Amino acid sequence: MVYRHILRPLLYRMDPEKAHHLAFGALRWTAALPGGKAMLRLALSPKADPALAIKVWDLEIPSPVGLAAGFDKDAIGYEALGAAGFGFVEVGTLTAHPQPGNPKPRLFRLPKDRALLNRMGFNNGGSQAAEPRLDRPRSTIVGVNIGKSKITPPAEAADDYALSAARLAPHADYLVVNVSSPNTPGLRDLQAVESLEPILRTVRETCERAVPDRRVPLLVKIAPDLADEDVDAVAELTRALDLEGVIATNTTISREGLQTNPATVRGMGNGGLSGAPLEARSLQVLRRLRSALGPEPVLVAVGGIEDPDDAWVRVQAGATLVQVYTSYVYEGPYLPRRLAHGLGRRAKDAGFARVQDAVGTAVASPGVREAMAQSRDIS
Ligand SMILES: Cc1cc2nc3c(=O)[nH]c(=O)nc-3n(C[C@H](O)[C@H](O)[C@H](O)COP(=O)(O)O)c2cc1C
């Protein structure tokens, strides 16, 4: 109520990027007060509940609802965001070289579509600067998302990713190779298997060297704009390289089906669209991945998840974890708790003791559905 009727209208009067910095700054400031994190937890976190906890990759994640990459690009506020109700926080995208990103304005609201359009261009202080901020004890599960620096030519992409992996894998609960942002020229071409394979192999080897005593879960994050055959090719590569997961999806370059005036949308320029218009395609990609991959590995669903029903559909379609970004901006600070409690309620109503038991229960292929049930029984 307070967010929707007082804070949101105030934030909406501001430039979207300024509003982001103000809101995120206020959250970090609150968390830094004596007792601030406890206060945030009390006000915003879901009730600690074994039915919500997800056991995956040797981690116990308190809630399946996480914050997607791009909100905390420089890993400056993950503890505050964890206290504010996210079960896990994905920081980044971080690049090997610090970079300013694209000229402003580069973030736009489309309220009629409950969407955002961004061409931030991986603005971040670089993986070297972020390292010490991640190298400290923490109570939040943190995924680290890495991308290619703009100045690095595509032929040298693998080494660029590896440099960030060497710095950050030791501090990552999981590591994400992001090849799907539309805002770094040529980046999405790296999703082609011939380009992606050497990158993922190099990053895996780097992780093994940098973190010899632990297998760092390695995931790849893909675009919703891939053709179905390319989604299948990524699935095949995921299996061949024994990756721990796929994140589906990043933002889309499509502008189809928007309610916002087309001239207004054109005026905003290039960029990736996120939020409600992405929902259907993200879900399709998730389903395609699940049926191509079988029961393993873990899928993380992101793109247009706005309410508990959306999150529940993704879980049943085979996502072990879900993430949000745009709906957090529109719905405000109670969203992570609302989604987590809603998932817990839906799982119980459907006869499952835990949300995790419902993962993949509505997968269309009976073979994959049964294999998922079996792998759940074993774990
Ligand atoms: C302003 C903004 C910045 C983003 N930056 C990144 C990023 O740096 N790396 C990344 O992998 N995804 C980034 N994303 C994409 C989100 O992580 C997510 O995949 C996408 O927004 C779809 O989810 P949503 O519909 O819940 O927003 C960004 C999204 C937004 C809106």
Side-chain angles (χ1 to χ4, degrees), residues 20 67-71 73 90-94 106-108 114-123 145-146 176-183 221-222 247-252 272-279 282 301-306 314 323-329:
H20 168 76
L67 180 61
F71 193 98
K73 287 188 187 264
E90 190 170 309
V91 300
T93 294
L94 286 151
R106 54 193 181 178
L107 176 60
F108 305 87
R114 302 190 307 282
L116 294 172
L117 192 156
N118 92 83
R119 56 168 166 280
M120 305 298 288
F122 292 167
N123 53 309
N145 177 311
I146 56 175
V176 183
V177 167
N178 178 14
V179 278
S180 47
S181 163
N183 302 314
K221 181 167 178 179
I222 64 170
I247 304 188
T249 65
N250 214 310
T251 55
T252 178
L273 194 72
S274 58
L278 192 55
E279 188 204 348
S282 277
V302 54
I305 297 173
E306 296 185 299
R314 304 288 171 114
Q323 295 178 323
V324 294
Y325 187 144
T326 303
S327 58
Y328 190 48
V329 172

Side-chain angles (χ1 to χ4, degrees), residues 288-308:
R288 189 149 191 118
L289 282 170
R290 190 79 284 167
S291 66
L293 282 165
E296 303 280 344
V298 165
L299 296 179
V300 181
V302 54
I305 297 173
E306 296 185 299
D307 60 31

Side-chain angles (χ1 to χ4, degrees), residues 159-293:
D159 290 340
D160 188 83
Y161 280 95
L163 194 52
S164 293
R167 290 169 178 156
L168 302 179
H171 317 298
D173 289 311
Y174 68 87
L175 190 74
V176 183
V177 167
N178 178 14
V179 278
S180 47
S181 163
N183 302 314
T184 294
L187 188 84
R188 291 172 315 143
D189 298 340
L190 301 178
Q191 291 174 112
V193 170
E194 318 80 74
S195 307
L196 189 54
E197 180 165 359
I199 294 173
L200 291 169
R201 278 192 195 281
T202 308
V203 170
R204 174 71 94 194
E205 284 162 18
T206 306
C207 289
E208 284 168 356
R209 241 178 290 121
V211 197
D213 55 339
R214 172 173 71 97
R215 186 171 165 100
V216 178
L218 181 61
L219 290 80
V220 62
K221 181 167 178 179
I222 64 170
D225 305 318
L226 286 178
D228 286 345
E229 309 80 71
D230 296 329
V231 173
D232 295 345
V234 170
E236 207 169 296
L237 183 64
T238 300
R239 252 213 307 252
L241 299 182
D242 209 10
L243 297 190
E244 277 73 20
V246 183
I247 304 188
T249 65
N250 214 310
T251 55
T252 178
I253 55 167
S254 163
R255 302 289 188 264
E256 256 171 55
L258 296 179
Q259 304 298 310
T260 307
N261 181 313
T264 309
V265 178
R266 269 198 305 280
M268 292 173 181
N270 291 338
L273 194 72
S274 58
L278 192 55
E279 188 204 348
R281 180 60 188 160
S282 277
L283 177 58
Q284 253 176 10
V285 172
L286 176 77
R287 289 194 165 130
R288 189 149 191 118
L289 282 170
R290 190 79 284 167
S291 66
L293 282 165

